[in-house]
Amino acid sequence: MKTRLYKSTDLMYVVQLFYDNIHSVCVNDYTLEQLDAWAPQNPDLYRWKASLSKNHTLVVEENGEIIGFGDMGETGYLDRLYVRKDYLHKGVATLILSQLEKYAKTKGFIFMTTAASITAKYFFKKKGFIVLNEQVVERRGARLKRYLMEKKL
């Protein structure tokens, strides 16, 4: 596995990985309507490109294929952390998270925050995050439960 910075040419692979992850990994915690609202078939690529380029975004490759990605904004907020379903439980998310934590420390952040899905909450708890509160957000007319979480660095 190799970690590197995101490049604009990664956009379509990252967006597809996100869609595939949401629609396969999160199926036991959210309805199809919620999954489609969260990860629509035709996403706003302009917003994705802008967000991934603005944030500190990492990708993990194996055999030349992107198998995971994560990004953090300039405030210490972990925006996204997704792994291809066939690479779950193989240390990919842990690798990305540890690299983003190092980045956050170099920026002088004291805390790292994220909004974790029902599915991801357990992973983040194992990595030292605590739940600050439960939230319900609206995406394209669907309401989704998530957890605002924080980790002291």
Side-chain angles (χ1 to χ4, degrees):
M1 284 187 282
K2 177 182 137 193
T3 306
R4 64 168 174 79
L5 288 172
Y6 165 84
K7 301 180 291 193
S8 60
T9 54
D10 298 328
L11 178 66
M12 297 309 292
Y13 300 103
V14 165
V15 170
Q16 187 64 51
L17 188 154
F18 171 78
Y19 177 87
D20 292 344
N21 176 285
I22 298 301
H23 284 270
S24 61
V25 177
C26 301
V27 295
N28 293 324
D29 297 316
Y30 297 94
T31 66
L32 180 57
E33 176 191 13
Q34 290 171 318
L35 298 174
D36 286 340
W38 183 4
Q41 184 124 19
N42 297 306
D44 183 341
L45 294 178
Y46 177 80
R47 285 185 62 200
W48 270 90
K49 182 179 180 179
S51 175
L52 292 169
S53 298
K54 183 180 95 175
N55 289 347
H56 180 73
T57 305
L58 301 174
V59 298
V60 175
E61 290 181 322
E62 175 120 324
N63 301 321
E65 292 184 26
I66 294 175
I67 60 170
F69 76 98
D71 66 319
M72 174 179 284
E74 287 299 316
T75 62
Y77 179 74
L78 175 64
D79 197 2
R80 291 169 282 243
L81 179 58
Y82 293 94
V83 174
R84 219 169 73 182
K85 68 179 179 177
D86 49 330
Y87 281 89
L88 292 174
H89 310 291
K90 295 184 179 179
V92 179
T94 299
L95 174 64
I96 296 168
L97 181 61
S98 69
Q99 293 295 316
L100 291 174
E101 284 180 11
K102 286 179 189 173
Y103 170 77
K105 288 176 184 175
T106 65
K107 289 294 205 175
F109 299 138
I110 299 169
F111 292 97
M112 190 174 187
T113 59
T114 195
S117 66
I118 296 167
T119 312
K121 178 183 167 189
Y122 179 72
F123 169 80
F124 284 110
K125 284 181 90 170
K126 281 189 351 186
K127 299 302 178 186
F129 283 76
I130 60 165
V131 174
L132 298 177
N133 63 50
E134 183 179 301
Q135 302 175 326
V136 176
V137 295
E138 188 172 314
R139 297 284 182 267
R140 295 172 186 80
R143 296 170 58 81
L144 298 111
K145 184 190 292 187
R146 68 182 190 181
Y147 302 91
L148 181 61
M149 301 183 78
E150 176 181 82
K151 179 178 182 176
K152 186 172 167 81
L153 299 174

